[in-house]
mmCIF file with all atom_site columns, all heavy atoms in Angstrom:
data_model
loop_
_atom_site.group_PDB
_atom_site.id
_atom_site.type_symbol
_atom_site.label_atom_id
_atom_site.label_alt_id
_atom_site.label_comp_id
_atom_site.label_asym_id
_atom_site.label_entity_id
_atom_site.label_seq_id
_atom_site.pdbx_PDB_ins_code
_atom_site.Cartn_x
_atom_site.Cartn_y
_atom_site.Cartn_z
_atom_site.occupancy
_atom_site.B_iso_or_equiv
_atom_site.pdbx_formal_charge
_atom_site.auth_seq_id
_atom_site.auth_comp_id
_atom_site.auth_asym_id
_atom_site.auth_atom_id
_atom_site.pdbx_PDB_model_num
ATOM 1   N N   . LEU A 1 47  ? 49.116 -34.007 51.494 1.00 98.00 ? 47  LEU A N   1
ATOM 2   C CA  . LEU A 1 47  ? 47.963 -33.308 52.064 1.00 98.00 ? 47  LEU A CA  1
ATOM 3   C C   . LEU A 1 47  ? 47.238 -34.190 53.065 1.00 98.00 ? 47  LEU A C   1
ATOM 4   O O   . LEU A 1 47  ? 46.859 -33.731 54.157 1.00 98.00 ? 47  LEU A O   1
ATOM 5   C CB  . LEU A 1 47  ? 47.014 -32.892 50.934 1.00 98.00 ? 47  LEU A CB  1
ATOM 6   C CG  . LEU A 1 47  ? 45.682 -32.264 51.349 1.00 98.00 ? 47  LEU A CG  1
ATOM 7   C CD1 . LEU A 1 47  ? 45.895 -31.037 52.230 1.00 98.00 ? 47  LEU A CD1 1
ATOM 8   C CD2 . LEU A 1 47  ? 44.853 -31.915 50.114 1.00 98.00 ? 47  LEU A CD2 1
ATOM 9   N N   . ARG A 1 58  ? 39.260 -38.792 58.494 1.00 97.00 ? 58  ARG A N   1
ATOM 10  C CA  . ARG A 1 58  ? 38.152 -39.240 57.647 1.00 97.00 ? 58  ARG A CA  1
ATOM 11  C C   . ARG A 1 58  ? 38.325 -38.634 56.256 1.00 97.00 ? 58  ARG A C   1
ATOM 12  O O   . ARG A 1 58  ? 37.551 -37.808 55.796 1.00 97.00 ? 58  ARG A O   1
ATOM 13  C CB  . ARG A 1 58  ? 36.816 -38.843 58.275 1.00 97.00 ? 58  ARG A CB  1
ATOM 14  C CG  . ARG A 1 58  ? 36.631 -39.440 59.675 1.00 97.00 ? 58  ARG A CG  1
ATOM 15  C CD  . ARG A 1 58  ? 35.269 -39.196 60.221 1.00 97.00 ? 58  ARG A CD  1
ATOM 16  N NE  . ARG A 1 58  ? 34.944 -37.777 60.295 1.00 97.00 ? 58  ARG A NE  1
ATOM 17  C CZ  . ARG A 1 58  ? 33.740 -37.313 60.619 1.00 97.00 ? 58  ARG A CZ  1
ATOM 18  N NH1 . ARG A 1 58  ? 32.753 -38.152 60.864 1.00 97.00 ? 58  ARG A NH1 1
ATOM 19  N NH2 . ARG A 1 58  ? 33.525 -36.027 60.686 1.00 97.00 ? 58  ARG A NH2 1
ATOM 20  N N   . GLU A 1 63  ? 43.742 -39.765 42.634 1.00 98.00 ? 63  GLU A N   1
ATOM 21  C CA  . GLU A 1 63  ? 44.214 -38.985 41.506 1.00 98.00 ? 63  GLU A CA  1
ATOM 22  C C   . GLU A 1 63  ? 43.065 -38.794 40.519 1.00 98.00 ? 63  GLU A C   1
ATOM 23  O O   . GLU A 1 63  ? 42.267 -39.705 40.302 1.00 98.00 ? 63  GLU A O   1
ATOM 24  C CB  . GLU A 1 63  ? 45.378 -39.682 40.811 1.00 98.00 ? 63  GLU A CB  1
ATOM 25  C CG  . GLU A 1 63  ? 46.662 -39.665 41.603 1.00 98.00 ? 63  GLU A CG  1
ATOM 26  C CD  . GLU A 1 63  ? 47.830 -40.189 40.791 1.00 98.00 ? 63  GLU A CD  1
ATOM 27  O OE1 . GLU A 1 63  ? 48.484 -39.386 40.104 1.00 98.00 ? 63  GLU A OE1 1
ATOM 28  O OE2 . GLU A 1 63  ? 48.062 -41.416 40.840 1.00 98.00 ? 63  GLU A OE2 1
ATOM 29  N N   . ASN A 1 92  ? 36.948 -27.147 42.002 1.00 98.00 ? 92  ASN A N   1
ATOM 30  C CA  . ASN A 1 92  ? 38.017 -26.186 42.240 1.00 98.00 ? 92  ASN A CA  1
ATOM 31  C C   . ASN A 1 92  ? 39.173 -26.308 41.257 1.00 98.00 ? 92  ASN A C   1
ATOM 32  O O   . ASN A 1 92  ? 39.901 -25.335 41.032 1.00 98.00 ? 92  ASN A O   1
ATOM 33  C CB  . ASN A 1 92  ? 38.543 -26.356 43.676 1.00 98.00 ? 92  ASN A CB  1
ATOM 34  C CG  . ASN A 1 92  ? 39.790 -25.553 43.934 1.00 98.00 ? 92  ASN A CG  1
ATOM 35  O OD1 . ASN A 1 92  ? 39.776 -24.322 43.932 1.00 98.00 ? 92  ASN A OD1 1
ATOM 36  N ND2 . ASN A 1 92  ? 40.908 -26.247 44.150 1.00 98.00 ? 92  ASN A ND2 1
ATOM 37  N N   . ALA A 1 93  ? 39.362 -27.472 40.657 1.00 98.00 ? 93  ALA A N   1
ATOM 38  C CA  . ALA A 1 93  ? 40.510 -27.684 39.764 1.00 98.00 ? 93  ALA A CA  1
ATOM 39  C C   . ALA A 1 93  ? 40.476 -26.689 38.608 1.00 98.00 ? 93  ALA A C   1
ATOM 40  O O   . ALA A 1 93  ? 39.429 -26.448 38.004 1.00 98.00 ? 93  ALA A O   1
ATOM 41  C CB  . ALA A 1 93  ? 40.504 -29.110 39.222 1.00 98.00 ? 93  ALA A CB  1
ATOM 42  N N   . ASN A 1 116 ? 38.931 -25.935 32.861 1.00 98.00 ? 116 ASN A N   1
ATOM 43  C CA  . ASN A 1 116 ? 38.218 -24.915 33.633 1.00 98.00 ? 116 ASN A CA  1
ATOM 44  C C   . ASN A 1 116 ? 36.705 -24.922 33.458 1.00 98.00 ? 116 ASN A C   1
ATOM 45  O O   . ASN A 1 116 ? 35.986 -24.522 34.380 1.00 98.00 ? 116 ASN A O   1
ATOM 46  C CB  . ASN A 1 116 ? 38.748 -23.528 33.276 1.00 98.00 ? 116 ASN A CB  1
ATOM 47  C CG  . ASN A 1 116 ? 40.171 -23.302 33.748 1.00 98.00 ? 116 ASN A CG  1
ATOM 48  O OD1 . ASN A 1 116 ? 40.753 -24.161 34.405 1.00 98.00 ? 116 ASN A OD1 1
ATOM 49  N ND2 . ASN A 1 116 ? 40.735 -22.167 33.414 1.00 98.00 ? 116 ASN A ND2 1
ATOM 50  N N   . LEU A 1 122 ? 31.292 -31.823 33.878 1.00 98.00 ? 122 LEU A N   1
ATOM 51  C CA  . LEU A 1 122 ? 31.290 -33.260 34.133 1.00 98.00 ? 122 LEU A CA  1
ATOM 52  C C   . LEU A 1 122 ? 31.031 -33.561 35.611 1.00 98.00 ? 122 LEU A C   1
ATOM 53  O O   . LEU A 1 122 ? 30.254 -34.472 35.942 1.00 98.00 ? 122 LEU A O   1
ATOM 54  C CB  . LEU A 1 122 ? 32.628 -33.867 33.700 1.00 98.00 ? 122 LEU A CB  1
ATOM 55  C CG  . LEU A 1 122 ? 32.914 -33.871 32.199 1.00 98.00 ? 122 LEU A CG  1
ATOM 56  C CD1 . LEU A 1 122 ? 34.357 -34.295 31.931 1.00 98.00 ? 122 LEU A CD1 1
ATOM 57  C CD2 . LEU A 1 122 ? 31.945 -34.793 31.462 1.00 98.00 ? 122 LEU A CD2 1
ATOM 58  N N   . THR A 1 168 ? 26.811 -22.319 35.936 1.00 98.00 ? 168 THR A N   1
ATOM 59  C CA  . THR A 1 168 ? 26.347 -22.433 37.316 1.00 98.00 ? 168 THR A CA  1
ATOM 60  C C   . THR A 1 168 ? 24.884 -22.011 37.433 1.00 98.00 ? 168 THR A C   1
ATOM 61  O O   . THR A 1 168 ? 24.072 -22.675 38.086 1.00 98.00 ? 168 THR A O   1
ATOM 62  C CB  . THR A 1 168 ? 27.223 -21.571 38.238 1.00 98.00 ? 168 THR A CB  1
ATOM 63  O OG1 . THR A 1 168 ? 28.554 -22.089 38.241 1.00 98.00 ? 168 THR A OG1 1
ATOM 64  C CG2 . THR A 1 168 ? 26.689 -21.562 39.665 1.00 98.00 ? 168 THR A CG2 1
ATOM 65  N N   . LYS A 1 169 ? 24.530 -20.896 36.818 1.00 98.00 ? 169 LYS A N   1
ATOM 66  C CA  . LYS A 1 169 ? 23.149 -20.415 36.882 1.00 98.00 ? 169 LYS A CA  1
ATOM 67  C C   . LYS A 1 169 ? 22.195 -21.378 36.189 1.00 98.00 ? 169 LYS A C   1
ATOM 68  O O   . LYS A 1 169 ? 21.090 -21.656 36.690 1.00 98.00 ? 169 LYS A O   1
ATOM 69  C CB  . LYS A 1 169 ? 23.066 -19.024 36.263 1.00 98.00 ? 169 LYS A CB  1
ATOM 70  C CG  . LYS A 1 169 ? 23.825 -17.961 37.052 1.00 98.00 ? 169 LYS A CG  1
ATOM 71  C CD  . LYS A 1 169 ? 23.704 -16.600 36.397 1.00 98.00 ? 169 LYS A CD  1
ATOM 72  C CE  . LYS A 1 169 ? 24.521 -15.558 37.151 1.00 98.00 ? 169 LYS A CE  1
ATOM 73  N NZ  . LYS A 1 169 ? 24.066 -15.367 38.549 1.00 98.00 ? 169 LYS A NZ  1
ATOM 74  N N   . HIS A 1 174 ? 18.084 -25.671 36.728 1.00 98.00 ? 174 HIS A N   1
ATOM 75  C CA  . HIS A 1 174 ? 17.739 -27.065 36.429 1.00 98.00 ? 174 HIS A CA  1
ATOM 76  C C   . HIS A 1 174 ? 17.351 -27.807 37.704 1.00 98.00 ? 174 HIS A C   1
ATOM 77  O O   . HIS A 1 174 ? 16.305 -28.471 37.761 1.00 98.00 ? 174 HIS A O   1
ATOM 78  C CB  . HIS A 1 174 ? 18.927 -27.747 35.752 1.00 98.00 ? 174 HIS A CB  1
ATOM 79  C CG  . HIS A 1 174 ? 18.765 -29.220 35.572 1.00 98.00 ? 174 HIS A CG  1
ATOM 80  N ND1 . HIS A 1 174 ? 18.133 -29.785 34.491 1.00 98.00 ? 174 HIS A ND1 1
ATOM 81  C CD2 . HIS A 1 174 ? 19.152 -30.263 36.367 1.00 98.00 ? 174 HIS A CD2 1
ATOM 82  C CE1 . HIS A 1 174 ? 18.134 -31.103 34.612 1.00 98.00 ? 174 HIS A CE1 1
ATOM 83  N NE2 . HIS A 1 174 ? 18.745 -31.423 35.736 1.00 98.00 ? 174 HIS A NE2 1
ATOM 84  N N   . THR A 1 192 ? 44.883 -14.187 44.247 1.00 88.00 ? 192 THR A N   1
ATOM 85  C CA  . THR A 1 192 ? 45.043 -14.763 45.581 1.00 88.00 ? 192 THR A CA  1
ATOM 86  C C   . THR A 1 192 ? 46.422 -15.395 45.688 1.00 88.00 ? 192 THR A C   1
ATOM 87  O O   . THR A 1 192 ? 46.954 -15.922 44.705 1.00 88.00 ? 192 THR A O   1
ATOM 88  C CB  . THR A 1 192 ? 43.950 -15.824 45.830 1.00 88.00 ? 192 THR A CB  1
ATOM 89  O OG1 . THR A 1 192 ? 42.664 -15.240 45.578 1.00 88.00 ? 192 THR A OG1 1
ATOM 90  C CG2 . THR A 1 192 ? 43.985 -16.318 47.266 1.00 88.00 ? 192 THR A CG2 1
ATOM 91  N N   . PRO A 1 195 ? 49.948 -20.979 44.489 1.00 82.00 ? 195 PRO A N   1
ATOM 92  C CA  . PRO A 1 195 ? 51.035 -21.346 43.582 1.00 82.00 ? 195 PRO A CA  1
ATOM 93  C C   . PRO A 1 195 ? 50.757 -20.955 42.129 1.00 82.00 ? 195 PRO A C   1
ATOM 94  O O   . PRO A 1 195 ? 51.691 -20.586 41.403 1.00 82.00 ? 195 PRO A O   1
ATOM 95  C CB  . PRO A 1 195 ? 51.118 -22.867 43.754 1.00 82.00 ? 195 PRO A CB  1
ATOM 96  C CG  . PRO A 1 195 ? 50.658 -23.102 45.149 1.00 82.00 ? 195 PRO A CG  1
ATOM 97  C CD  . PRO A 1 195 ? 49.557 -22.100 45.368 1.00 82.00 ? 195 PRO A CD  1
ATOM 98  N N   . VAL A 1 197 ? 49.058 -18.345 40.964 1.00 79.00 ? 197 VAL A N   1
ATOM 99  C CA  . VAL A 1 197 ? 49.316 -16.911 40.813 1.00 79.00 ? 197 VAL A CA  1
ATOM 100 C C   . VAL A 1 197 ? 50.808 -16.634 40.930 1.00 79.00 ? 197 VAL A C   1
ATOM 101 O O   . VAL A 1 197 ? 51.369 -15.813 40.196 1.00 79.00 ? 197 VAL A O   1
ATOM 102 C CB  . VAL A 1 197 ? 48.516 -16.099 41.848 1.00 79.00 ? 197 VAL A CB  1
ATOM 103 C CG1 . VAL A 1 197 ? 48.955 -14.636 41.847 1.00 79.00 ? 197 VAL A CG1 1
ATOM 104 C CG2 . VAL A 1 197 ? 47.020 -16.192 41.544 1.00 79.00 ? 197 VAL A CG2 1
ATOM 105 N N   . ARG A 1 198 ? 51.476 -17.334 41.835 1.00 81.00 ? 198 ARG A N   1
ATOM 106 C CA  . ARG A 1 198 ? 52.914 -17.142 42.001 1.00 81.00 ? 198 ARG A CA  1
ATOM 107 C C   . ARG A 1 198 ? 53.657 -17.539 40.725 1.00 81.00 ? 198 ARG A C   1
ATOM 108 O O   . ARG A 1 198 ? 54.608 -16.857 40.309 1.00 81.00 ? 198 ARG A O   1
ATOM 109 C CB  . ARG A 1 198 ? 53.402 -17.967 43.192 1.00 81.00 ? 198 ARG A CB  1
ATOM 110 C CG  . ARG A 1 198 ? 54.869 -17.803 43.551 1.00 81.00 ? 198 ARG A CG  1
ATOM 111 C CD  . ARG A 1 198 ? 55.271 -16.367 43.774 1.00 81.00 ? 198 ARG A CD  1
ATOM 112 N NE  . ARG A 1 198 ? 54.453 -15.684 44.774 1.00 81.00 ? 198 ARG A NE  1
ATOM 113 C CZ  . ARG A 1 198 ? 54.574 -14.386 45.058 1.00 81.00 ? 198 ARG A CZ  1
ATOM 114 N NH1 . ARG A 1 198 ? 55.448 -13.637 44.379 1.00 81.00 ? 198 ARG A NH1 1
ATOM 115 N NH2 . ARG A 1 198 ? 53.817 -13.835 45.974 1.00 81.00 ? 198 ARG A NH2 1
ATOM 116 N N   . ALA A 1 204 ? 56.327 -13.659 34.366 1.00 77.00 ? 204 ALA A N   1
ATOM 117 C CA  . ALA A 1 204 ? 56.181 -12.333 33.758 1.00 77.00 ? 204 ALA A CA  1
ATOM 118 C C   . ALA A 1 204 ? 57.540 -11.773 33.352 1.00 77.00 ? 204 ALA A C   1
ATOM 119 O O   . ALA A 1 204 ? 58.586 -12.157 33.900 1.00 77.00 ? 204 ALA A O   1
ATOM 120 C CB  . ALA A 1 204 ? 55.504 -11.379 34.741 1.00 77.00 ? 204 ALA A CB  1
ATOM 121 N N   . ASN A 1 206 ? 58.621 -8.834  33.901 1.00 87.00 ? 206 ASN A N   1
ATOM 122 C CA  . ASN A 1 206 ? 59.112 -8.098  35.062 1.00 87.00 ? 206 ASN A CA  1
ATOM 123 C C   . ASN A 1 206 ? 58.319 -8.574  36.281 1.00 87.00 ? 206 ASN A C   1
ATOM 124 O O   . ASN A 1 206 ? 57.281 -8.010  36.609 1.00 87.00 ? 206 ASN A O   1
ATOM 125 C CB  . ASN A 1 206 ? 58.934 -6.594  34.849 1.00 87.00 ? 206 ASN A CB  1
ATOM 126 C CG  . ASN A 1 206 ? 59.584 -5.778  35.958 1.00 87.00 ? 206 ASN A CG  1
ATOM 127 O OD1 . ASN A 1 206 ? 59.642 -6.211  37.114 1.00 87.00 ? 206 ASN A OD1 1
ATOM 128 N ND2 . ASN A 1 206 ? 60.066 -4.591  35.622 1.00 87.00 ? 206 ASN A ND2 1
ATOM 129 N N   . ALA A 1 217 ? 45.697 -4.267  42.526 1.00 84.00 ? 217 ALA A N   1
ATOM 130 C CA  . ALA A 1 217 ? 44.533 -4.331  41.636 1.00 84.00 ? 217 ALA A CA  1
ATOM 131 C C   . ALA A 1 217 ? 43.236 -4.133  42.406 1.00 84.00 ? 217 ALA A C   1
ATOM 132 O O   . ALA A 1 217 ? 42.304 -3.485  41.924 1.00 84.00 ? 217 ALA A O   1
ATOM 133 C CB  . ALA A 1 217 ? 44.516 -5.667  40.903 1.00 84.00 ? 217 ALA A CB  1
ATOM 134 N N   . SER A 1 241 ? 23.440 -21.453 53.844 1.00 98.00 ? 241 SER A N   1
ATOM 135 C CA  . SER A 1 241 ? 23.067 -20.840 52.568 1.00 98.00 ? 241 SER A CA  1
ATOM 136 C C   . SER A 1 241 ? 21.934 -21.611 51.901 1.00 98.00 ? 241 SER A C   1
ATOM 137 O O   . SER A 1 241 ? 21.861 -21.711 50.677 1.00 98.00 ? 241 SER A O   1
ATOM 138 C CB  . SER A 1 241 ? 24.283 -20.784 51.629 1.00 98.00 ? 241 SER A CB  1
ATOM 139 O OG  . SER A 1 241 ? 24.823 -22.084 51.433 1.00 98.00 ? 241 SER A OG  1
ATOM 140 N N   . THR A 1 245 ? 20.991 -19.988 45.681 1.00 98.00 ? 245 THR A N   1
ATOM 141 C CA  . THR A 1 245 ? 21.356 -20.804 44.527 1.00 98.00 ? 245 THR A CA  1
ATOM 142 C C   . THR A 1 245 ? 21.413 -19.927 43.284 1.00 98.00 ? 245 THR A C   1
ATOM 143 O O   . THR A 1 245 ? 20.683 -18.936 43.164 1.00 98.00 ? 245 THR A O   1
ATOM 144 C CB  . THR A 1 245 ? 20.378 -21.972 44.330 1.00 98.00 ? 245 THR A CB  1
ATOM 145 O OG1 . THR A 1 245 ? 20.959 -22.946 43.437 1.00 98.00 ? 245 THR A OG1 1
ATOM 146 C CG2 . THR A 1 245 ? 19.031 -21.530 43.790 1.00 98.00 ? 245 THR A CG2 1
ATOM 147 N N   . THR A 1 247 ? 23.806 -17.997 42.428 1.00 98.00 ? 247 THR A N   1
ATOM 148 C CA  . THR A 1 247 ? 24.438 -16.702 42.687 1.00 98.00 ? 247 THR A CA  1
ATOM 149 C C   . THR A 1 247 ? 25.938 -16.773 42.485 1.00 98.00 ? 247 THR A C   1
ATOM 150 O O   . THR A 1 247 ? 26.522 -17.858 42.414 1.00 98.00 ? 247 THR A O   1
ATOM 151 C CB  . THR A 1 247 ? 24.132 -16.206 44.113 1.00 98.00 ? 247 THR A CB  1
ATOM 152 O OG1 . THR A 1 247 ? 24.457 -14.816 44.223 1.00 98.00 ? 247 THR A OG1 1
ATOM 153 C CG2 . THR A 1 247 ? 24.933 -16.976 45.150 1.00 98.00 ? 247 THR A CG2 1
#
Side-chain angles (χ1 to χ4, degrees):
L47 174 56
R58 301 187 302 173
E63 288 188 89
N92 171 66
N116 292 356
L122 292 171
T168 295
K169 294 180 183 298
H174 172 86
T192 307
V197 171
R198 184 54 55 185
N206 187 328
S241 57
T245 196
T247 195

